[in-house]
């Protein structure tokens, strides 16, 4: 109590206080200058692949052409940009509308957007906690009873009230840059979530395109199979009549019945695939399978893109969302390694309190009620086996992220190579099937002319019709595959750079 009384009686020595304050501020400024240091390695993006091409043998500048629908030659345009809405190159307005609706209604995209917002807010929260002082205001009121006997003094116990109102400021100076490395890691993780959203959108568009083409293919194949079945039923009926009239053997009927039922058994399989594909389209577009408002697609509604973009491998790694996401994870691991190193360095925490304290509430903020406190605390880890282990674990995590990045890049290059070879070979397959279809149609027309002249039987004409329809089924599958290959290339290129 004596020191307190002397302060109130004679006042504070201002010269000494000012001198102490100057020294305190000088120390704070000096420490602040030290915050420019950031330990740990700075992140450098991995080098682009040095391979000039995707395939071991040179790729043709264009695909083969076929004299049929969706059989045009496609040209590879090296360095061409990918349209933001690349699916519009397929020429189906119904497909365009369905994809736009799916982007709005898909729960997969909604989840990815929410996850991105979460990462952004976590980064903002940690930035506020690490990079700025924390300022709190407080007020307290307490009632105390003080007995001098506990201090070995005589006197009566006294009761009094104590009121306190003030502001507290806390700040951790980032001497070694650990906070900045932690924020760098969070920013990289946010970037990963952004690329994850881009990848989810690219995958959703690709899946819808593939499902829509499959629906058109199955519808055409079902139609051709039904035509074959009608022809086989008619041929079976004619054979049964011949057997009834004694002009045929019963074995012929049994053979035809086997053929008819095999064809009939294939129809439910095709219908099942078509129905399941419709369910898939509904789910991809954010609808229930029983919604019933999905558009139907026909192969005639699609256009085969004549020009296909081809990005070189060194540019591909700057475009594909999966590669960019793996790079962001590598960046985060690098920053977390730097943060683990920073924990081995000194930590400086500063705090200051400015308050008013009185025995009567009404005297708060009055003359002589101010109290303050400034504290600086510097700590240096001397023996903490956990910290070196954390550093080694962070380095191992970085090595794992680097290996994962390399794996994603290799898988992406393989994906592009596979699609390019599919475009090349499937175009050749369509050309061969188009020639087969033309031959089958020519054979059918020849048999029809012979039948009209009486040189061929009606059964021969039915057989020729079946052969033509079976060839058409294979042709439909090849036409649809060229559309699927084109969409796969857009997807493999990473979609739009915008």
């Amino acid at each position: 109590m004596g020191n307190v009384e002397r302060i109130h009686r004679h006042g504070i020595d201002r010269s000494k206080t000012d001198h102490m304050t100057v020294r305190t501020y000088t120390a704070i400024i000096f420490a602040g200058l030290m915050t420019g240091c950031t330990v740990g390695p700075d992140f450098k993006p991995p080098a682009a692949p040095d391979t000039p091409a995707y395939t071991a043998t040179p790729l043709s500048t264009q695909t083969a052409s076929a004299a049929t629908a969706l059989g045009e030659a496609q040209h590879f345009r090296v360095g061409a940009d990918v349209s933001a809405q690349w699916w519009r190159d397929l020429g189906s307005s119904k497909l365009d509308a369905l994809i736009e609706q799916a982007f709005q209604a898909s729960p997969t995209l909604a989840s990815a957007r929410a996850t991105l917002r979460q990462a952004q807010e976590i980064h903002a929260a940690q930035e506020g906690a690490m990079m700025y002082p924390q300022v709190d205001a407080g007020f307290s009121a307490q009632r105390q009873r003080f007995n001098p006997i506990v201090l070995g003094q005589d006197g009566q116990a006294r009761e009094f009230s104590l009121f306190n109102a003030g502001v507290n400021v806390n700040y951790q100076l980032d001497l070694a840059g650990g906070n900045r490395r932690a924020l760098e890691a969070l920013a990289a993780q946010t970037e990963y979530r952004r690329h994850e959203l881009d990848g989810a959108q690219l995958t959703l568009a690709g899946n819808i395109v593939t499902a829509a083409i499959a629906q058109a293919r199955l519808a055409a194949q079902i139609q051709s199979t039904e035509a074959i079945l009608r022809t086989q039923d008619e041929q079976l009926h004619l054979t049964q009549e011949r057997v009834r009239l004694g002009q045929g053997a019963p074995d012929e009927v049994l053979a035809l019945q086997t053929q008819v039922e095999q064809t009939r058994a294939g129809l439910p399989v095709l219908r099942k695939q078509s129905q399941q594909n419709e369910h898939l389209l509904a789910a991809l577009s954010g609808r229930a399978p029983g919604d019933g408002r999905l558009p139907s697609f026909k192969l005639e509604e699609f256009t085969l893109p004549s020009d296909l973009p081809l990005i070189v491998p060194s540019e591909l790694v700057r475009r594909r969302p999966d590669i960019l996401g793996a790079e962001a994870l590598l960046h985060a691991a690098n920053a977390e390694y730097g943060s683990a190193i920073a924990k081995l360095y000194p930590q400086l925490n500063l705090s200051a309190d400015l308050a008013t304290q009185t025995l009567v509430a009404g005297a708060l903020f009055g003359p002589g009620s101010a109290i303050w406190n400034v504290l600086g605390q510097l700590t240096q880890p001397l023996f903490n086996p956990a910290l070196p282990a954390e550093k080694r674990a962070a380095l191992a995590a970085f090595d794992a992220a680097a290996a994962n990045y390399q794996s994603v890049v290799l898988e992406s290059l393989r994906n592009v190579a596979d699609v390019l070879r599919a475009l090349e070979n499937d175009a050749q397959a369509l050309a061969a099937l188009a020639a087969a279809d033309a031959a089958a149609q020519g054979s059918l027309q020849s048999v029809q002319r012979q039948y009209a002249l009486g040189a061929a039987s009606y059964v021969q004409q039915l057989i020729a019709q079946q052969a033509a329809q079976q060839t058409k089924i294979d042709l439909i599958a090849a036409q649809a595959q060229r559309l699927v290959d084109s969409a796969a290339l857009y997807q493999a290129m990473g979609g739009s750079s915008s």
Side-chain angles (χ1 to χ4, degrees), residues 228 433-438 440 466-476:
I228 292 175
L433 286 170
D437 180 67
Q466 293 177 41
Q469 287 294 339
Q470 186 59 54
T471 304
K472 185 178 180 181
I473 289 177
D474 296 335
L475 180 67
I476 290 169

Side-chain angles (χ1 to χ4, degrees), residues 406-417:
Q406 184 180 14
S407 175
V408 172
V409 170
L410 292 175
E411 182 63 22
S412 300
L413 295 177
R414 184 198 64 80
N415 174 221
V416 176

